[in-house]
């Protein structure tokens, strides 16, 4: 979602049922500072918000799951443990979890959601061909 979306788009911010959610610390894109944000994953997108009272609110940023290539553990920043990277078509997000278990959960669930989404797209395409 771009910052240019109109207020009309607000009703589209209603997410599908949340698959996974929780606080993580993320790095900025250009200004590389780290912020604690509340992440919410559903079958279509990963969004982050200022805090856990996200329901009905516009996310700070929302990433289309179809733009996500993969999530994987990284040691890019030596002073930050439990760190994974979320590789998208145009940006790699660095996300630090509170625990190692959190990190593995996020990585597994993101990659699973990405592949089910692609699988769903493929079946839709195949059904349309029939
Ligand atoms: C901001 O720094 C925050 O880190 C933003 O994170 C981040 O945007 C900005 O990245 C960065 O400049 P300040 O708060 O000091 O302005 P958040 O959006 O979580 O608040 P991203 O794109 O990471 O969300 P750039 O790329 O706009 O510089």
């Amino acid at each position: 979602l771009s910052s240019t979306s109109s207020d009309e788009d607000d009703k589209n911010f209603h997410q599908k049922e949340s698959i996974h959610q929780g606080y993580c610390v993320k790095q900025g894109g250009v200004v590389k500072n780290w912020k604690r944000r509340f992440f919410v994953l559903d079958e279509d997108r990963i969004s982050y918000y200022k805090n856990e009272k996200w329901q009905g609110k516009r996310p700070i940023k929302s990433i289309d799951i179809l733009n996500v290539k993969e999530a994987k553990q990284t040691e890019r920043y030596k002073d930050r443990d439990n760190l994974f990277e979320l590789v998208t078509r145009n940006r790699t997000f660095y996300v630090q979890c509170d625990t190692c278990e959190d990190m593995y959960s996020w990585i597994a669930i993101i990659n699973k959601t990405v592949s089910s989404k692609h699988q769903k797209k493929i079946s839709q395409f195949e059904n349309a061909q029939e």
Side-chain angles (χ1 to χ4, degrees), residues 26-71:
K26 56 156 284 290
Q27 192 189 48
V30 176
V31 178
K32 305 219 176 277
N33 51 12
W34 297 79
K35 305 269 173 171
R36 192 165 186 82
R37 297 293 180 228
F38 196 78
F39 284 74
V40 180
L41 170 74
D42 72 16
E43 68 172 80
D44 293 333
R45 46 188 66 250
I46 304 172
S47 304
Y48 49 89
Y49 299 82
K50 208 167 174 68
N51 58 45
E52 75 283 357
K53 294 178 205 143
W54 59 274
Q55 301 262 6
K57 294 200 180 133
R58 178 192 282 263
I60 294 173
K61 192 158 272 162
S62 192
I63 304 157
D64 190 320
I65 210 75
L66 287 169
N67 287 336
V68 176
K69 292 184 174 167
E70 62 170 336

